[in-house]
Amino acid sequence: MTGMADNSTPQRTALVTGASSGIGAATVRALAAAGFRTIAAARRVERLEQLAQEVGGRAVELDVTDADSVAAMAAQVGDVDVVVHSAGGAFGTDRIEDGDPEGWKAMYDVNVVGLLRVHQALLPGMRRGGNGHVVVLGSIAGFEVYPGGGGYTAVKHGVNAVCRTMRQELLGEPVRVTEIAPGMVETEFSLVRLGSQEAADEVYQGLTPLTADDVADVIAFAVTRPPHVDLDKVVLRPIAQADAAHVHRG
C-alpha cells in the first residue's frame, strides 16, 4: 500500500514523535522509503540516532510532556511539512472505581496535551510550506469502550475530539488532518501498560495482531495522496478483532 512521494514536487520533511520504538519507528522507516526527509523525535536518543543513521534522517530529543523540550525541538528542526503524532501510551487496566487519578493525568498529558504542545509549535511552519499534514495516532479506543479501559478510552476520545476540531479550524488552509485509529497492534504498548512480558503476550495469544509496519504503511499512504485528498480517519484492525471488546482466538 505504501505510496511514493511525488517526484515532481520538492522533497517534504516529516517529523515523527514517539519515534524510538513501535509504530513511531516503523513510520520513520516507511516515510524515508517514500522519499521524505525524516526527523525522528523521542526521549530515548540512543535509539533515535541508530534509526536516523539507518534511514539517513535526523534525530531530535523530545519529551512531549515538557514545554521547554518541545520549544527546543521546534527551534532545532525549523519548518516541517508533515507531523506524525505517535507519542502516547496507556497506564493500567483498573476499573473506573479503582482508577488512579495520577495515572489518568499522566495519560492525558502525553496523549492530549503533548499533542497540543507539538501542534502549536510546528503548525506555523506547516502553514508556510503550503502542503502541511497533521497525522495523529489515535485508537479504536477513541470511539469504543471496554471494561478496564476507562482512563485510556477517555483520553483517546479526547484525541479524537482534538482531531475533529482541528479539521474544522484548519478548513480552507493548506494543512490536512488525518487520524489513524488502529485496533490491536503488537508493540511495546502492552508491555508498558501491563508491566510484564508474560501479561503482554497473553493479550495477543491465539490471534495474529497488526504489526507496527502495518500501521506505518497506512500512514505513508495517507501522506502521499495528492494535496486535495484528505483521509480524515482511517480505522484498521486485525481480522480477528471485531471491536475493542470482541476478538476471536483460534
Side-chain angles (χ1 to χ4, degrees):
M1 178 186 281
T2 303
M4 297 302 295
D6 185 350
N7 292 328
S8 66
T9 60
Q11 186 181 31
R12 292 193 291 161
T13 299
L15 181 141
V16 181
T17 71
S20 60
S21 65
I23 295 171
T27 298
V28 171
R29 294 186 179 98
L31 295 184
F36 286 85
R37 288 186 296 264
T38 60
I39 303 172
R43 292 175 298 174
R44 293 179 287 189
V45 178
E46 183 176 340
R47 287 192 180 190
L48 292 180
E49 289 175 344
Q50 292 174 352
L51 177 62
Q53 184 175 11
E54 174 190 334
V55 302
R58 295 175 60 190
V60 178
E61 185 175 7
L62 172 65
D63 180 352
V64 300
T65 67
D66 184 329
D68 291 338
S69 177
V70 173
M73 173 277 296
Q76 185 173 348
V77 303
D79 290 358
V80 300
D81 304 291
V82 175
V83 180
V84 180
H85 296 269
S86 180
F91 311 119
T93 57
D94 294 335
R95 292 168 58 90
I96 291 174
E97 63 194 83
D98 302 317
D100 175 14
E102 294 307 312
W104 283 46
K105 289 179 183 178
M107 282 191 286
Y108 197 84
D109 197 20
V110 67
N111 287 278
V112 180
V113 183
L115 164 61
L116 172 67
R117 291 187 182 102
V118 174
H119 178 69
Q120 289 176 336
L122 298 180
L123 178 60
M126 284 188 280
R127 282 177 165 146
R128 284 189 289 268
N131 186 13
H133 203 146
V134 178
V135 180
V136 179
L137 187 65
S139 168
I140 60 171
F143 56 92
E144 297 177 353
V145 297
Y146 55 94
Y152 184 63
T153 57
V155 164
K156 285 301 187 181
H157 273 66
V159 170
N160 172 258
V162 170
C163 291
R164 290 159 53 200
T165 304
M166 280 197 295
R167 183 72 173 88
Q168 293 184 9
E169 292 180 346
L170 294 172
L171 185 64
E173 298 193 46
V175 181
R176 292 177 279 176
V177 179
T178 297
E179 180 185 6
I180 305 293
M184 296 176 73
V185 186
E186 188 169 11
T187 63
E188 294 181 1
F189 175 89
S190 290
L191 176 61
V192 172
R193 184 178 194 180
L194 302 176
S196 76
Q197 190 61 57
E198 182 180 2
D201 290 343
E202 289 181 2
V203 174
Y204 311 109
Q205 188 173 2
L207 59 85
T208 302
L210 300 175
T211 68
D213 289 336
D214 293 330
V215 182
D217 194 30
V218 173
I219 293 172
F221 180 81
V223 299
T224 52
R225 297 311 89 205
H228 70 287
V229 177
D230 186 16
L231 277 65
D232 280 350
K233 182 175 182 177
V234 181
V235 179
L236 62 156
R237 319 174 196 254
I239 193 171
Q241 182 178 35
D243 56 36
H246 298 88
V247 299
H248 174 76
R249 302 182 190 275

